[in-house]
Amino acid sequence: MSEETPICSAKGCRVDAVWVLAWNNPKIHTPERRKTWLACEEHREHLSQFLGMRGFLKDVVLLKDWDELGG
């Protein structure tokens, strides 16, 4: 892992990120706004559930695909 490699957003995790979780809090963000969390394989489901339970999760995309989409 280099300093340039994105790491997982889970608390205390230092593993390379594989996924992008795009989310939006409708109480404070416009509908088109997308904030992002990064996730490793191990934490993707947990972070997705956390955002999903709040109605914030909009999309889960592989990091390599997100980069290609210009995310």
Side-chain angles (χ1 to χ4, degrees):
M1 176 173 68
S2 74
E3 290 181 32
E4 298 173 6
T5 303
I7 61 165
C8 180
S9 297
K11 186 176 181 178
C13 186
R14 305 301 300 165
V15 176
D16 291 355
V18 179
W19 297 94
V20 175
L21 285 61
W23 61 277
N24 170 301
N25 180 341
K27 292 182 181 178
I28 59 174
H29 301 125
T30 58
E32 66 279 353
R33 174 96 188 266
R34 292 293 180 266
K35 304 277 289 179
T36 57
W37 281 357
L38 302 176
C40 64
E41 285 292 346
E42 180 181 350
H43 292 112
R44 180 188 59 84
E45 187 63 30
H46 172 73
L47 293 173
S48 293
Q49 287 179 358
F50 179 88
L51 292 168
M53 286 179 13
R54 289 155 180 80
F56 294 175
L57 187 63
K58 301 301 178 190
D59 207 358
V60 179
V61 179
L62 281 167
L63 179 59
K64 67 178 181 68
D65 294 340
W66 183 261
D67 290 342
E68 290 172 7
L69 294 171

